[in-house]
Amino acid sequence: MLSVHLILFLAFGAVAVAGAVNLLAQTHPINSALSLIAVMAALAGEYLLLGAEFVAAVQVIVYAGAIMVLFVFTIMLLNAGVEERTEGSRVAVLFGIPGMLLGSLLIAWVVLRHSGTEAVAAGALPGSPKTIGRLLFHEFLLPFEITSILILIAIMGAVVLASKPPASSTDAPARRVN
Amino acid sequence: MVPLSYYLVLSGFLFACGVTGFLIKRNIITIFMSIELMLNGVNLSFVAFAAHWHAVKGELAGLVPLSGQVFVFFVMVVAAAEAAVGLAIIIAVYRTRETLNVDQVNLLKL
């Protein structure tokens, strides 16, 4: 018996798994970025199934919107092409793929073996913006304020790192590695 | 009714894919996207555990309800800060070395 909830979970999960595998299979960064956007959109659907409506909206707006736009912008800015394979990366594939399968099987086995009989019910979670906002500004006020400092430092760091170095420091010209 | 374990298996698979991409990819931007994939996998288990706690409310006294969903926001903030700083570092690296292949970026100082 497949309930509607389970069918939706399987559909969104299939999209997420396909996107994640496609991210590994593609060699051009822009294709990987589009796969990652598909994964994030599918995860937003999973969050809705879990009742976390505000998290789902923020996932689409912030993650699939803002952060991935930053990635795509950087890819286009740097004109990134198809990645080159080297001897080291072939060895990594040789050990990485069986390692991923083993790790996934181990996690699946542990989780399925030791899971209880409790289930996540559809719509059981009132994750509305009101509830989340009350939590953020009451119980988690101090971490919330600390993250604002983190954001401020990240902004300054990004501006300093991405800005061009001053032209006056020509006494030590930068060497180029081919 | 979907068991919690299904969500955890999906979350674990996404995390494993992220780790694999981090190890086998050679483009520094794709490696960065693999880290984002790992963070997304962790977010899914946060939300699933928050929903699970809501379903079995009363057994775990002393926890703030729905705090798992608030942690997702903190993870998103960290991911956004990391993306901003990391992509700025990538631009700085590309400016000096003119490559995005991590096999050729093996020296801290040129």
Side-chain angles (χ1 to χ4, degrees):
Chain A
M1 273 303 284
L2 286 177
S3 65
V4 178
H5 195 186
L6 185 58
I7 292 172
L8 283 175
F9 167 81
L10 290 177
F12 284 125
V15 172
V17 167
V21 171
N22 195 39
L23 189 150
L24 298 181
Q26 295 290 339
T27 52
H28 202 285
I30 201 82
N31 295 337
S32 297
L34 292 178
S35 309
L36 190 53
I37 291 174
V39 173
M40 287 166 175
L43 280 183
E46 300 278 6
Y47 294 160
L48 270 184
L49 282 180
L50 284 165
E53 52 184 53
F54 189 52
V55 175
V58 171
Q59 167 89 4
V60 171
I61 294 171
V62 174
Y63 243 135
I67 295 182
M68 289 317 292
V69 163
L70 200 59
F71 271 94
V72 173
F73 193 78
T74 310
I75 291 170
M76 300 209 165
L77 183 70
L78 299 185
N79 202 11
V82 176
E83 67 177 17
E84 306 147 31
R85 313 303 301 180
T86 58
E87 196 57 44
S89 62
R90 273 188 215 100
V91 173
V93 168
L94 199 64
F95 289 102
I97 300 294
M100 180 192 74
L101 291 178
L102 268 180
S104 304
L105 283 179
L106 185 67
I107 292 173
W109 181 76
V110 167
V111 166
L112 290 176
R113 177 88 189 273
H114 299 283
S115 67
T117 54
E118 297 293 340
V120 178
L125 196 59
S128 62
K130 184 182 172 187
T131 319
I132 300 294
R134 190 181 295 277
L135 273 176
L136 264 182
F137 289 109
H138 283 152
E139 281 86 355
F140 293 93
L141 184 60
L142 182 63
F144 180 76
E145 294 295 336
I146 291 174
T147 50
S148 66
I149 300 175
L150 173 73
I151 295 253
L152 183 65
I153 295 172
I155 291 171
M156 292 192 295
V159 169
V160 168
L161 283 170
S163 62
K164 280 197 183 304
S168 59
S169 61
T170 49
D171 50 346
R175 283 194 293 131
R176 291 283 162 85
V177 172
N178 296 322
Chain B
M1 301 286 269
V2 180
L4 172 70
S5 51
Y6 289 14
Y7 286 102
L8 294 185
V9 168
L10 178 60
S11 161
F13 181 80
L14 291 180
F15 191 87
C17 277
V19 174
T20 311
F22 184 83
L23 292 177
I24 72 173
K25 284 298 185 181
R26 281 297 164 265
N27 190 306
I28 194 166
I29 297 178
T30 319
I31 287 176
F32 227 68
M33 286 191 277
S34 304
I35 298 175
E36 298 289 331
L37 188 59
M38 282 192 260
L39 290 172
N40 270 283
V42 172
N43 276 351
L44 181 60
S45 45
F46 264 131
V47 176
F49 273 120
H52 182 70
W53 184 87
H54 197 265
V56 297
K57 182 166 48 183
E59 293 181 16
L60 301 167
L63 284 179
V64 180
L66 293 187
S67 53
Q69 295 192 12
V70 178
F71 284 134
V72 170
F73 288 106
F74 290 131
V75 171
M76 281 184 189
V77 168
V78 171
E82 173 220 339
V85 175
L87 291 172
I89 291 175
I90 289 174
I91 290 175
V93 165
Y94 186 79
R95 196 173 281 147
T96 53
R97 310 186 188 224
E98 294 180 341
T99 181
L100 289 174
N101 192 338
V102 288
D103 285 336
Q104 295 170 22
V105 185
N106 49 9
L107 294 174
L108 276 178
K109 193 174 188 303
L110 284 181

